[in-house]
Amino acid sequence: MFQKALEGKYAVPAYNFYNMEQRQGIVLGCVESRSPVILQVSGGARKYANPTQLRYMARSAVQMARDAGAGIPIALHLDHGDSFELAKSCIDSGFSSVMLDGSHHSLDENAGLTKRVVDYAHEREVIVKG
């Protein structure tokens, strides 16, 4: 997704969503513009909407785009995850990428936590932003 965007000199939008209606609007807008999209979920949204439900909402977004005649790339991203456990859970449930926000830790603790997430994620071909 990012390689094509670099080569084509365009941006890939990332949108946080909290429910089905928001997700539907995001996907339909991206289908209309033929834009790839990153669907983002915060830790709080994940608790609110339920981890299992979010995973299937993301899968249904892909099918929704296909049904509309646009096979646009759709990624699922954890936005500002704050723990190894949350990042691991998202990775294990199929997220494309995770963002680890360790800013509430000292620099050394933050670096150690980020490395732990990176090691876990990269074994599973998941991208990490720290």
Side-chain angles (χ1 to χ4, degrees):
M1 179 188 295
F2 292 119
Q3 188 61 41
K4 286 183 179 180
L6 284 170
E7 291 168 3
K9 299 184 182 190
Y10 60 86
V12 177
Y15 301 101
N16 282 59
F17 74 99
Y18 299 91
N19 58 41
M20 181 191 69
E21 293 80 10
Q22 289 174 330
R23 189 239 29 207
Q24 185 173 352
I26 292 164
V27 171
L28 291 177
C30 289
V31 163
E32 186 175 319
S33 63
R34 300 280 192 229
S35 174
V37 63
I38 301 168
L39 297 175
Q40 296 188 145
V41 177
S42 68
R46 195 162 182 270
K47 288 177 189 170
Y48 166 77
N50 178 287
T52 301
Q53 182 173 310
L54 284 172
R55 180 174 64 233
Y56 289 108
M57 285 175 70
R59 285 184 184 168
S60 70
V62 172
Q63 189 59 51
M64 191 167 98
R66 285 183 186 149
D67 291 348
I72 59 171
I74 299 175
L76 182 59
H77 175 74
L78 170 64
D79 188 29
H80 288 270
D82 61 359
S83 70
F84 175 80
E85 293 74 22
L86 176 58
K88 179 184 181 300
S89 177
C90 289
I91 292 164
D92 291 345
S93 67
F95 279 54
S96 310
S97 59
V98 296
M99 188 277 192
L100 183 72
D101 182 354
S103 62
H104 55 284
H105 294 295
S106 71
L107 181 58
D108 287 343
E109 290 172 324
N110 186 345
L113 175 60
T114 302
K115 181 178 181 345
R116 186 174 172 209
V117 170
V118 166
D119 290 345
Y120 188 81
H122 286 184
E123 290 175 1
R124 291 152 184 84
E125 298 184 10
V126 172
I127 297 167
V128 178
K129 175 182 171 186

